[in-house]
Each structure stands twice: as C-alpha cells, then as structure tokens.
Amino acid sequence: MLLAHLSDLHLDGTEQAAARARAAVDRVRAAGDAVDALLVTGDLADHGAESEYEEVAAVLAGLPFPVLTCPGNHDERRAYRKVLRDGATGDGPIDELHVLRRDGAPALAVLMCDSSIPGAGAGALSPETLAWIDTSLAALPDEVPAVLAFHHPPARLHHPLPDGLRLTRPDGLADLLARHPRVLALLTGHAHTAAATSFAGIALRSAPAVTYTLRLTWEGEGHADDTQPPGLAYHVLAPGERHVTTHFRVAA
Ligand SMILES: [Fe+2]
C-alpha cells in the first residue's frame, strides 16, 4: 500500500497558494497508479470560504486514485460539506471511513477524523468522533490494519507554535489505541514541518505543508518560510509488517 500525503494547502484565492498546491498534486499524480490513495490532512482552505473549497475541488480533480480529506482548524465545516461533499449540510464533525482494497480484498482502513474545534486553533477528537473511531475499528475484519489521519498532532513536536495548538485531551485517543492494535500509524498535518515521532507507542507522522514551512526555533527569525518548496510524504505499508515506512519529498 502506498499512501501519498499532503497537508495544509491553505488555498486563499491567491495564485501563489494555488501554484504550490498544483505543484504538490502534480508530483503525486506523476506516481500514477502506484498510489493507492492521496490523503490531505486539513487546512484545505485558509479562511473556510466556499470559493476556497471550489479551488480545493479543482486542484484535487481528475486524479487516478481516491482522494481522502479531513478538516483542519482553518476549515469551516458547512462550506467544506457544501462544496466538497455534494451539498451536504450540518456542522458536526466530518469523520469518514475508507477501506482500500488490493486484489479485491480489504487491505487497509483509513479513518479520516475531524480534530477541528470550530473557531479554535487547537484541536480535539470529540466524544462523538472517538466513539465513531472505536465502532469503526471494531467492525473491521480481524486481519485488516488501519491508520488514523487527522489534522492536529497529539504529541509535542518541540516547536512552540504547533505545540501550543496541538490536539488537546489526547488521553481518550491513547485509551482507544490501547484497545485497537490494528492501528499502525497516526498521520497528521498542522505543524507545517515534516516530523516523525510517536504517540502512545504508535508511529506519528506529520506531513510537511504545501504552503509555507515552519522554521524551527534554531533556524532563524520568523516562523513562515515560503522560500522552501511544497512538501509531501509517501507512506508505505506492506502485508505482514507492523510498521509504516515514510519518505518525505518536496515538489520543487
Ligand atoms: Fe495549517
């Protein structure tokens, strides 16, 4: 299984943001049918405007593999649903289960989870979302592994900006992971920097951002560096392996 992973497009009506998104998507498109799915972990839009989701829809259209998305703190659930989910309504969490198949059989479950808190920068998995994850994982066939994808990293990445706005109340997630050993990785965004760590003993990978890269505290003044090219990640999962191998790339 090969999962391409983009995050934080922050499409905002500007040509700069759109060009960076197109470059990243084109890079993944070039991998063709080697890719089983493209995950985009939130902050698709910068202000949550319907016009920004029209841009999202356009940049992600026509790809030869499934495109799986979830909201981030810059997204707005009603506009997201209206444009990206065929006019759906409601402002509850946007949680979606996708079971990817190989040779006709279920091979990997990808749970796209909504960690956004409307109006807030930090995140949380609501009781509703945690219950949905629990039920969804329990209903899968025993042999099918799973990954959870959402916007806010649940662990510190040792930078004050994302650490100050990370996933709050992560204990519920840790409890859930202890009950579901089929979960092999947590795939997030939000931090605008490629990072690999762990949470509750599970691999945690933060995709680099398509928009600006977050300078680390020892990399100089200012936090938003748009001189670096858009980033992306590829996650490889192989039958019988209980680990996820991640490669990071830039779309230069
Ligand atoms: Fe972001």
Side-chain angles (χ1 to χ4, degrees), residues 20 45 111 124 130 219:
R20 292 179 71 95
L111 282 75
L130 287 171
E219 289 184 317

CSV table of all heavy atoms in Angstrom, one decimal, residues 20 45 111 124 130 219:
chain,number,residue,atom,x,y,z
A,20,ARG,N,1.4,26.5,-5.6
A,20,ARG,CA,2.0,25.5,-4.7
A,20,ARG,C,1.2,24.2,-4.6
A,20,ARG,O,1.8,23.1,-4.6
A,20,ARG,CB,2.3,26.1,-3.3
A,20,ARG,CG,3.3,27.2,-3.3
A,20,ARG,CD,3.5,27.8,-2.0
A,20,ARG,NE,4.2,26.9,-1.0
A,20,ARG,CZ,5.5,26.9,-0.8
A,20,ARG,NH1,6.3,27.8,-1.4
A,20,ARG,NH2,6.0,26.1,0.0
A,45,ALA,N,-8.6,24.9,3.0
A,45,ALA,CA,-8.9,26.3,2.8
A,45,ALA,C,-8.2,27.2,3.8
A,45,ALA,O,-7.9,26.7,4.9
A,45,ALA,CB,-10.4,26.6,2.8
A,111,LEU,N,-9.0,6.0,8.4
A,111,LEU,CA,-10.1,6.7,9.1
A,111,LEU,C,-9.7,8.2,9.0
A,111,LEU,O,-8.7,8.6,9.7
A,111,LEU,CB,-10.3,6.3,10.5
A,111,LEU,CG,-11.1,5.0,10.7
A,111,LEU,CD1,-10.2,3.8,10.3
A,111,LEU,CD2,-11.6,4.8,12.1
A,124,ALA,N,-9.2,18.8,19.0
A,124,ALA,CA,-9.6,17.7,19.9
A,124,ALA,C,-10.4,16.7,19.1
A,124,ALA,O,-11.0,17.1,18.1
A,124,ALA,CB,-10.5,18.3,21.0
A,130,LEU,N,-14.5,10.1,18.8
A,130,LEU,CA,-13.8,8.9,19.4
A,130,LEU,C,-14.7,7.7,19.4
A,130,LEU,O,-14.2,6.6,19.1
A,130,LEU,CB,-13.4,9.3,20.9
A,130,LEU,CG,-12.2,10.2,21.0
A,130,LEU,CD1,-12.1,10.6,22.5
A,130,LEU,CD2,-10.9,9.6,20.6
A,219,GLU,N,16.4,27.8,13.5
A,219,GLU,CA,16.6,28.1,12.1
A,219,GLU,C,16.4,29.6,11.7
A,219,GLU,O,16.4,29.9,10.5
A,219,GLU,CB,15.7,27.3,11.2
A,219,GLU,CG,16.0,25.8,11.2
A,219,GLU,CD,15.1,25.0,10.3
A,219,GLU,OE1,13.9,25.2,10.3
A,219,GLU,OE2,15.6,24.1,9.6
